[in-house]
Short mmCIF file of all heavy atoms in Angstrom, two decimals:
data_model
loop_
_atom_site.label_atom_id
_atom_site.label_comp_id
_atom_site.label_asym_id
_atom_site.label_seq_id
_atom_site.Cartn_x
_atom_site.Cartn_y
_atom_site.Cartn_z
N ASP A 128 -10.03 21.18 -34.23
CA ASP A 128 -9.39 21.93 -35.32
C ASP A 128 -7.90 21.63 -35.36
O ASP A 128 -7.30 21.54 -36.43
CB ASP A 128 -9.59 23.44 -35.10
CG ASP A 128 -11.06 23.82 -35.08
OD1 ASP A 128 -11.80 23.31 -35.95
OD2 ASP A 128 -11.46 24.60 -34.20
N TYR A 129 -7.29 21.54 -34.18
CA TYR A 129 -5.85 21.28 -34.11
C TYR A 129 -5.54 20.16 -33.13
O TYR A 129 -6.09 20.13 -32.02
CB TYR A 129 -5.09 22.55 -33.69
CG TYR A 129 -5.05 23.58 -34.80
CD1 TYR A 129 -5.90 24.69 -34.76
CD2 TYR A 129 -4.20 23.42 -35.89
CE1 TYR A 129 -5.89 25.63 -35.78
CE2 TYR A 129 -4.18 24.34 -36.91
CZ TYR A 129 -5.02 25.44 -36.86
OH TYR A 129 -5.01 26.35 -37.88
N ILE A 130 -4.65 19.29 -33.54
CA ILE A 130 -4.15 18.23 -32.67
C ILE A 130 -2.65 18.47 -32.52
O ILE A 130 -1.90 18.41 -33.51
CB ILE A 130 -4.40 16.84 -33.29
CG1 ILE A 130 -5.89 16.63 -33.54
CG2 ILE A 130 -3.83 15.74 -32.40
CD1 ILE A 130 -6.21 15.38 -34.37
N VAL A 131 -2.21 18.81 -31.31
CA VAL A 131 -0.80 19.14 -31.07
C VAL A 131 -0.15 17.93 -30.40
O VAL A 131 -0.62 17.46 -29.36
CB VAL A 131 -0.68 20.40 -30.18
CG1 VAL A 131 0.79 20.70 -29.90
CG2 VAL A 131 -1.37 21.59 -30.85
N CYS A 132 0.93 17.42 -30.99
CA CYS A 132 1.59 16.22 -30.45
C CYS A 132 2.92 16.61 -29.83
O CYS A 132 3.84 17.03 -30.54
CB CYS A 132 1.81 15.20 -31.56
SG CYS A 132 0.30 14.75 -32.43
N ASP A 133 3.04 16.43 -28.52
CA ASP A 133 4.29 16.72 -27.81
C ASP A 133 5.18 15.48 -27.91
O ASP A 133 4.91 14.46 -27.30
CB ASP A 133 3.99 17.06 -26.34
CG ASP A 133 5.25 17.34 -25.54
OD1 ASP A 133 6.30 17.63 -26.16
OD2 ASP A 133 5.19 17.27 -24.30
N SER A 134 6.26 15.58 -28.71
CA SER A 134 7.10 14.42 -28.99
C SER A 134 8.11 14.19 -27.87
O SER A 134 8.59 15.14 -27.26
CB SER A 134 7.86 14.65 -30.30
OG SER A 134 8.83 13.64 -30.49
N PRO A 135 8.47 12.94 -27.61
CA PRO A 135 9.64 12.70 -26.74
C PRO A 135 10.91 13.05 -27.49
O PRO A 135 10.90 13.20 -28.71
CB PRO A 135 9.56 11.20 -26.46
CG PRO A 135 8.81 10.62 -27.60
CD PRO A 135 7.86 11.70 -28.08
N ALA A 136 12.01 13.17 -26.76
CA ALA A 136 13.31 13.40 -27.39
C ALA A 136 13.74 12.14 -28.13
O ALA A 136 13.14 11.09 -27.97
CB ALA A 136 14.34 13.78 -26.33
N GLY A 137 14.79 12.27 -28.93
CA GLY A 137 15.34 11.10 -29.61
C GLY A 137 14.74 10.90 -30.98
O GLY A 137 13.94 11.72 -31.46
N ILE A 138 15.16 9.81 -31.63
CA ILE A 138 14.65 9.52 -32.97
C ILE A 138 14.13 8.09 -33.00
O ILE A 138 14.03 7.48 -34.05
CB ILE A 138 15.74 9.72 -34.05
CG1 ILE A 138 17.01 8.94 -33.69
CG2 ILE A 138 16.08 11.17 -34.22
CD1 ILE A 138 18.05 8.94 -34.80
N GLU A 139 13.77 7.56 -31.82
CA GLU A 139 13.27 6.19 -31.77
C GLU A 139 11.75 6.15 -31.91
O GLU A 139 11.13 7.16 -32.19
CB GLU A 139 13.71 5.49 -30.48
CG GLU A 139 15.17 5.09 -30.48
CD GLU A 139 16.07 6.24 -30.07
OE1 GLU A 139 15.72 6.90 -29.09
OE2 GLU A 139 17.08 6.49 -30.76
N SER A 140 11.19 4.99 -31.61
CA SER A 140 9.79 4.74 -31.96
C SER A 140 8.84 5.80 -31.39
O SER A 140 7.92 6.23 -32.08
CB SER A 140 9.38 3.35 -31.50
OG SER A 140 9.34 3.30 -30.09
N GLY A 141 9.06 6.25 -30.15
CA GLY A 141 8.15 7.24 -29.57
C GLY A 141 8.11 8.51 -30.39
O GLY A 141 7.03 9.05 -30.69
N ALA A 142 9.28 9.00 -30.78
CA ALA A 142 9.34 10.22 -31.59
C ALA A 142 8.75 9.97 -32.98
O ALA A 142 8.07 10.83 -33.54
CB ALA A 142 10.79 10.69 -31.70
N LEU A 143 8.99 8.77 -33.52
CA LEU A 143 8.45 8.45 -34.85
C LEU A 143 6.93 8.39 -34.81
O LEU A 143 6.24 8.86 -35.72
CB LEU A 143 9.03 7.13 -35.35
CG LEU A 143 10.54 7.13 -35.61
CD1 LEU A 143 11.00 5.77 -36.10
CD2 LEU A 143 10.93 8.21 -36.60
N MET A 144 6.37 7.81 -33.73
CA MET A 144 4.91 7.76 -33.57
C MET A 144 4.34 9.17 -33.52
O MET A 144 3.30 9.46 -34.10
CB MET A 144 4.54 7.08 -32.25
CG MET A 144 4.85 5.62 -32.23
SD MET A 144 3.49 4.69 -32.91
CE MET A 144 4.12 3.06 -32.68
N ALA A 145 5.02 10.05 -32.78
CA ALA A 145 4.51 11.41 -32.59
C ALA A 145 4.51 12.18 -33.91
O ALA A 145 3.61 12.99 -34.15
CB ALA A 145 5.34 12.14 -31.55
N LEU A 146 5.48 11.93 -34.76
CA LEU A 146 5.56 12.73 -35.99
C LEU A 146 4.85 12.08 -37.17
O LEU A 146 4.61 12.73 -38.19
CB LEU A 146 7.02 13.06 -36.34
CG LEU A 146 7.98 11.95 -36.79
CD1 LEU A 146 7.77 11.54 -38.24
CD2 LEU A 146 9.42 12.44 -36.60
N TYR A 147 4.51 10.79 -37.05
CA TYR A 147 4.04 10.05 -38.22
C TYR A 147 2.84 10.71 -38.91
O TYR A 147 2.80 10.85 -40.13
CB TYR A 147 3.70 8.61 -37.83
CG TYR A 147 3.32 7.77 -39.02
CD1 TYR A 147 4.27 7.37 -39.94
CD2 TYR A 147 1.98 7.41 -39.26
CE1 TYR A 147 3.94 6.63 -41.06
CE2 TYR A 147 1.63 6.67 -40.37
CZ TYR A 147 2.61 6.28 -41.27
OH TYR A 147 2.26 5.56 -42.38
N HIS A 148 1.85 11.14 -38.13
CA HIS A 148 0.62 11.66 -38.73
C HIS A 148 0.66 13.16 -39.03
O HIS A 148 -0.34 13.71 -39.50
CB HIS A 148 -0.57 11.38 -37.80
CG HIS A 148 -0.89 9.92 -37.72
ND1 HIS A 148 -0.33 9.10 -36.77
CD2 HIS A 148 -1.67 9.12 -38.49
CE1 HIS A 148 -0.77 7.87 -36.95
NE2 HIS A 148 -1.58 7.85 -37.98
N ALA A 149 1.79 13.80 -38.73
CA ALA A 149 1.81 15.26 -38.77
C ALA A 149 1.52 15.85 -40.14
O ALA A 149 1.95 15.32 -41.17
CB ALA A 149 3.17 15.75 -38.29
N ASP A 150 0.75 16.95 -40.14
CA ASP A 150 0.60 17.78 -41.34
C ASP A 150 1.63 18.90 -41.31
O ASP A 150 2.09 19.36 -42.33
CB ASP A 150 -0.81 18.37 -41.39
CG ASP A 150 -1.88 17.30 -41.40
OD1 ASP A 150 -1.82 16.44 -42.30
OD2 ASP A 150 -2.75 17.29 -40.51
N GLU A 151 1.91 19.38 -40.08
CA GLU A 151 2.91 20.43 -39.92
C GLU A 151 3.80 20.05 -38.73
O GLU A 151 3.39 19.30 -37.86
CB GLU A 151 2.24 21.78 -39.66
CG GLU A 151 1.24 22.16 -40.76
CD GLU A 151 0.90 23.64 -40.81
OE1 GLU A 151 1.71 24.46 -40.35
OE2 GLU A 151 -0.19 23.95 -41.32
N ALA A 152 5.01 20.59 -38.73
CA ALA A 152 5.95 20.27 -37.65
C ALA A 152 6.58 21.54 -37.14
O ALA A 152 7.01 22.39 -37.92
CB ALA A 152 7.02 19.31 -38.15
N ILE A 153 6.62 21.67 -35.81
CA ILE A 153 7.36 22.76 -35.20
C ILE A 153 8.63 22.15 -34.63
O ILE A 153 8.58 21.31 -33.72
CB ILE A 153 6.53 23.44 -34.09
CG1 ILE A 153 5.27 24.06 -34.71
CG2 ILE A 153 7.36 24.48 -33.35
CD1 ILE A 153 4.32 24.67 -33.71
N VAL A 154 9.76 22.51 -35.21
CA VAL A 154 11.04 21.95 -34.77
C VAL A 154 11.65 22.93 -33.78
O VAL A 154 12.01 24.05 -34.13
CB VAL A 154 11.96 21.68 -35.97
CG1 VAL A 154 13.31 21.18 -35.50
CG2 VAL A 154 11.31 20.69 -36.92
N VAL A 155 11.71 22.50 -32.52
CA VAL A 155 12.20 23.35 -31.44
C VAL A 155 13.72 23.22 -31.35
O VAL A 155 14.25 22.11 -31.26
CB VAL A 155 11.55 22.96 -30.10
CG1 VAL A 155 12.05 23.84 -28.97
CG2 VAL A 155 10.03 23.05 -30.21
N THR A 156 14.40 24.35 -31.39
CA THR A 156 15.86 24.34 -31.43
C THR A 156 16.41 25.35 -30.44
O THR A 156 15.86 26.44 -30.30
CB THR A 156 16.35 24.72 -32.85
OG1 THR A 156 15.70 23.88 -33.79
CG2 THR A 156 17.84 24.58 -32.99
N ASN A 157 17.46 25.01 -29.73
CA ASN A 157 18.19 25.96 -28.90
C ASN A 157 19.39 26.46 -29.69
O ASN A 157 19.89 25.75 -30.57
CB ASN A 157 18.67 25.32 -27.59
CG ASN A 157 17.53 25.00 -26.62
OD1 ASN A 157 17.72 24.26 -25.66
ND2 ASN A 157 16.35 25.54 -26.88
N PRO A 158 19.87 27.66 -29.37
CA PRO A 158 20.98 28.21 -30.17
C PRO A 158 22.33 27.59 -29.82
O PRO A 158 23.26 28.28 -29.39
CB PRO A 158 20.94 29.71 -29.83
CG PRO A 158 20.28 29.80 -28.51
CD PRO A 158 19.36 28.63 -28.39
#
Side-chain angles (χ1 to χ4, degrees):
Chain A
D128 300 316
Y129 288 102
I130 302 170
V131 178
C132 305
D133 179 19
S134 171
I138 52 172
E139 285 84 45
S140 69
L143 295 180
M144 291 274 182
L146 68 78
Y147 185 72
H148 291 91
D150 301 304
E151 304 199 24
I153 297 175
V154 177
V155 180
T156 308
N157 290 166

